[in-house]
Amino acid sequence: MNAQYASLLIAVPLISAFFVPLIKGFGKRTVKYYLMLVTLVQTAIAGAVFVNVYRTGEPMIVMAGGWKPPVGINLYVGPFAALFVLIVAIMSFFMAVFSLKAVETEPIDKYAMLFLLLMLGSTGMIATGDIFNLFVFMEITSITAYALTAYNKTGEAAEASLKYMVLGGIGSSFFLIGVALIYGATGTLNMAHIAQLAGGINPTVAQIGLALLIFGLAVEAELFPLNAWAPDAYQAAPHPITAMFSAFVVKAGLYAAARLLYIMQNASGWGSVLKMVVIMAALTVFVAEFSALRQRDVKRMIAYSSISQVGMIAFALALGTQAGVEAGVFHMINHAIVKALLFLAVGYVGITLGGTGIEKFSGLGRRMPLTAFVITVGSLAAVGIPLFNIFWSKIRILIAGVEAGYTWGVALILGASVVEAVYYIRLIHTMWFGEGEGRIRENLAIGTIALFLVLLILFIGLYPNYFWTVSQKAGQDIFNVVDYVKNVPLMGVGS
Amino acid sequence: MNVPDISVYYFGAISLVLIGLYAVLVKKNVLKILVGLSIMETGVNLLLISIGYISGRSAPILSEGVTASRAVDPIPQALVLTAIVIGVATTAMALSVAIILYEKYGTLNVEEIRRLRG
């Protein structure tokens, strides 16, 4: 079958984003339904690509303009990319439905356009096989993310957006310096070609170049010293956008960091970069959990919790073993589901009751039983209680960590999990045993999405093996660089 | 003392990046921070261009008298063209946020813009 139709994953959101100003004339509701339609089409394409990649076991390689890599840019839709492109599309669809209710005051046309471009940027970051193209997609993602953070025209939103922009600007400059160093040393920008040549790079250049690339991506991936923007942006952004940030924008950054780490695994000095990432990730988990403990705003609390889970994923991805990478991918799927659910439910409470301070959640179990139930399931899953999905991925990460010899990191994560349990149980207690009366009618569409995500959490919790085999395949896609290089049809150019 | 042999382009480019970084980290005024970011981007672009420079060759436009073996590396120029556009877009975005900040807070001092805490 012709693999080129996978390029529609990039083309459809891009062209639909350009049509938004034309649709605007038909009114606000039309734009919202248009957004739902486009994300649904994207989900269909991503589903077709996913089925194709997993049925044949072969990655789909899109060659831009028919030029073979490394001369042309190629998209590499392997098992990992196919899986995550599907997750991006499904989550975007859910958030497009949520936007029907959640975005009322500000202009909808700009929102729809930025929403589609955010989806495009994340898809591109996951699918691309070229480091400069990765930079361009990363900038598409981050510029739309800056704009969407500042979308509610309040002082807080502008402040959060400015923090994000300054950090993101520094990060992207460092990333570009890293690209320049790698290009100067190898003369190529294609990831497969770099993987071939990585062994011959001067060790200092390889180390500094890779560290700068990881440093630049760490802003997007919210690793410890560079994640100060994240809780503010999560708190100030519109509710659907917050869910998108945590469900897939972070994942795109993490994946890109992991991909770049593993394609350079032949370079000397690789191990020390890996160690740096492990330390950053363990600190992310620890600092974020303790910051979450003292939050009064529930959305901000969940934002910190999301950052700590991301740290756990980065920890697993940087262990340098196959078991670690597979566990990390599994945790990425689970975290996307759970955090989308939590931000959806908390955002829904925010728009219904006006605000997400902890006092609004008092007695929510009597006022909005369905929403409270959904938040309860999400919280228990996030802590990693058995029978819920995160239990399985967390335990695999911990086992992989012990096997790789990072006992101190595992101890740190386990200690942080206790802290996580404390603040989630405090939230659950407030919801079910707090004061509060007056039943509020809940929205059907949002309830359906939330219940679907709850069922998914319970399903993965009871039968983890279906998703575990999928994430094993996806993990091998990242870890096994030899196969990756073999799959990309490199043109014989003098190296 | 032994001075390392480093080209003036590399030295200048890295200096620009460091000057920009210094401005971002130290300055208190939002506009000065944004100027710092712009300087940093310029430095990075200069670095990219100088990596592709081969001494004594001309611009990579194939015309009379210029063959492929007489031109500098064209790829960094394509990269920089993209990076410049991205830099301008980020700056425009940041300036519009600075305008909103001034409207809402009445100041551009980053130490006074602190409503989000935690």
Side-chain angles (χ1 to χ4, degrees):
Chain A
M1 187 155 54
N2 189 354
Q4 299 291 323
Y5 78 85
S7 60
L8 285 175
L9 290 170
I10 308 287
V12 166
L14 191 58
I15 200 151
S16 330
F18 281 112
F19 275 111
V20 169
L22 292 178
I23 310 278
K24 189 179 100 185
F26 296 103
K28 250 183 162 178
R29 290 209 79 73
T30 324
V31 176
K32 285 180 178 171
Y33 286 117
Y34 174 74
L35 199 58
M36 276 168 65
L37 178 75
V38 173
T39 46
L40 199 60
V41 170
Q42 175 84 353
T43 311
I45 300 167
V49 168
F50 179 79
V51 168
N52 185 24
V53 167
Y54 276 83
R55 186 176 292 155
T56 59
E58 296 285 311
M60 296 168 86
I61 314 277
V62 179
M63 283 175 272
W67 293 91
K68 277 196 165 181
V71 173
I73 291 170
N74 70 310
L75 300 184
Y76 178 91
V77 188
F80 183 93
L83 175 65
F84 266 80
V85 163
L86 184 63
I87 291 180
V88 169
I90 293 176
M91 291 303 164
S92 304
F93 173 63
F94 287 166
M95 292 311 138
V97 176
F98 184 31
S99 304
L100 282 180
K101 281 285 291 179
V103 182
E104 289 292 350
T105 44
E106 303 290 340
I108 188 71
D109 54 321
K110 298 179 185 82
Y111 174 83
M113 210 161 170
L114 291 167
F115 183 104
L116 288 173
L117 288 175
L118 189 66
M119 182 168 89
L120 161 86
S122 308
T123 310
M125 270 175 90
I126 290 165
T128 188
D130 180 286
I131 52 172
F132 190 74
N133 200 229
L134 173 64
F135 169 76
V136 174
F137 278 124
M138 184 178 101
E139 287 298 295
I140 294 176
T141 313
S142 40
I143 292 175
T144 46
Y146 306 152
L148 283 168
T149 305
Y151 182 72
N152 294 328
K153 278 189 193 149
T154 57
E156 284 88 351
E159 184 187 336
S161 179
L162 188 82
K163 272 187 199 165
Y164 189 4
M165 241 179 267
V166 170
L167 271 172
I170 296 174
S172 68
S173 292
F174 280 165
F175 187 87
L176 208 51
I177 298 175
V179 170
L181 289 180
I182 301 282
Y183 177 74
T186 61
T188 182
L189 292 166
N190 188 279
M191 288 184 193
H193 203 194
I194 290 175
Q196 276 184 341
L197 301 176
I201 308 178
N202 177 325
T204 320
V205 175
Q207 242 172 333
I208 296 179
L210 184 58
L212 283 171
L213 289 179
I214 301 295
F215 205 66
L217 279 167
V219 174
E220 208 65 9
E222 301 169 1
L223 295 183
F224 166 58
L226 305 161
N227 59 7
W229 61 271
D232 295 346
Y234 280 45
Q235 189 186 351
H239 302 302
I241 300 304
T242 311
M244 285 169 83
F245 279 173
S246 119
F248 61 75
V249 175
V250 187
K251 303 296 178 337
L254 274 176
Y255 159 71
R259 172 67 91 201
L260 289 176
L261 265 180
Y262 285 99
I263 60 165
M264 296 281 283
Q265 66 184 195
N266 289 329
S268 45
W270 180 65
S272 49
V273 179
L274 219 55
K275 238 177 230 132
M276 177 192 85
V277 182
V278 168
I279 293 171
M280 279 165 82
L283 283 175
T284 311
V285 176
F286 198 69
V287 173
E289 292 291 19
F290 274 93
S291 316
L293 192 59
R294 56 189 179 85
Q295 296 307 323
R296 305 295 303 157
D297 187 296
V298 175
K299 205 176 167 196
R300 199 174 169 88
M301 186 185 96
I302 294 175
Y304 273 116
S305 154
S306 172
I307 293 167
S308 82
Q309 304 268 344
V310 163
M312 239 174 265
I313 299 171
F315 178 78
L317 289 177
L319 287 174
T321 61
Q322 181 147 3
V325 175
E326 285 166 4
V329 174
F330 194 30
H331 199 63
M332 275 164 120
I333 305 174
N334 289 335
H335 173 252
I337 297 168
V338 170
K339 281 289 146 34
L341 174 68
L342 277 174
F343 279 118
L344 179 80
V346 170
Y348 184 57
V349 173
I351 53 175
T352 322
L353 302 179
T356 53
I358 187 89
E359 68 282 352
K360 305 270 190 217
F361 284 78
S362 176
L364 198 73
R366 281 185 294 278
R367 306 185 69 189
M368 298 165 80
L370 177 65
T371 316
F373 165 72
V374 162
I375 295 177
T376 309
V377 173
S379 311
L380 293 176
V383 178
I385 306 258
L387 293 183
F388 293 102
N389 57 356
I390 284 190
F391 171 72
W392 298 107
S393 48
K394 222 177 204 173
I395 204 157
R396 282 190 201 278
I397 289 178
L398 296 177
I399 291 171
V402 171
E403 277 172 356
Y406 287 107
T407 321
W408 60 270
V410 170
L412 216 60
I413 290 178
L414 272 177
S417 294
V418 176
V419 178
E420 188 169 36
V422 171
Y423 63 78
Y424 271 121
I425 287 170
R426 191 178 64 195
L427 171 67
I428 294 172
H429 181 88
T430 319
M431 282 194 313
W432 293 102
F433 301 104
E435 303 284 310
E437 284 305 326
R439 188 73 201 277
I440 295 171
R441 228 170 63 87
E442 289 158 286
N443 184 289
L444 189 68
I446 293 168
T448 316
I449 293 175
L451 282 178
F452 173 77
L453 290 170
V454 164
L455 286 178
L456 207 56
I457 288 174
L458 294 175
F459 178 76
I460 301 179
L462 294 173
Y463 305 100
N465 279 342
Y466 296 103
F467 281 80
W468 174 239
T469 42
V470 168
S471 45
Q472 264 180 322
K473 268 189 193 160
Q476 275 159 18
D477 185 35
I478 300 180
F479 187 74
N480 200 337
V481 178
V482 180
D483 281 353
Y484 175 74
V485 174
K486 213 185 293 165
N487 281 327
V488 178
L490 283 178
M491 200 154 98
V493 287
S495 53
Chain B
M1 206 184 86
N2 201 0
V3 180
D5 180 30
I6 178 168
S7 140
V8 63
Y9 300 115
Y10 290 151
F11 185 78
I14 296 294
S15 315
L16 276 179
V17 172
L18 292 180
I19 291 168
L21 195 61
Y22 169 82
V24 173
L25 296 179
V26 173
K27 295 293 171 194
K28 300 277 179 270
N29 188 313
V30 170
L31 291 180
K32 286 186 182 165
I33 290 176
L34 298 184
V35 169
L37 271 184
S38 277
I39 293 176
M40 224 173 134
E41 270 153 16
T42 315
V44 175
N45 292 340
L46 191 58
L47 178 73
L48 260 176
I49 280 290
S50 40
I51 274 179
Y53 180 64
I54 306 168
S55 179
R57 296 200 185 170
S58 71
I61 303 164
L62 295 183
S63 61
E64 216 172 317
V66 181
T67 56
S69 60
R70 297 270 315 121
V72 296
D73 189 351
I75 291 181
Q77 309 195 354
L79 305 190
V80 165
L81 199 56
T82 317
I84 288 173
V85 176
I86 291 173
V88 171
T90 319
T91 310
M93 183 65 221
L95 285 174
S96 61
V97 167
I99 293 172
I100 297 179
L101 273 178
Y102 191 72
E103 276 173 6
K104 304 283 177 190
Y105 288 80
T107 173
L108 282 175
N109 186 337
V110 281
E111 284 177 342
E112 288 168 32
I113 302 175
R114 292 185 60 89
R115 220 175 274 168
L116 287 162
R117 292 174 176 278

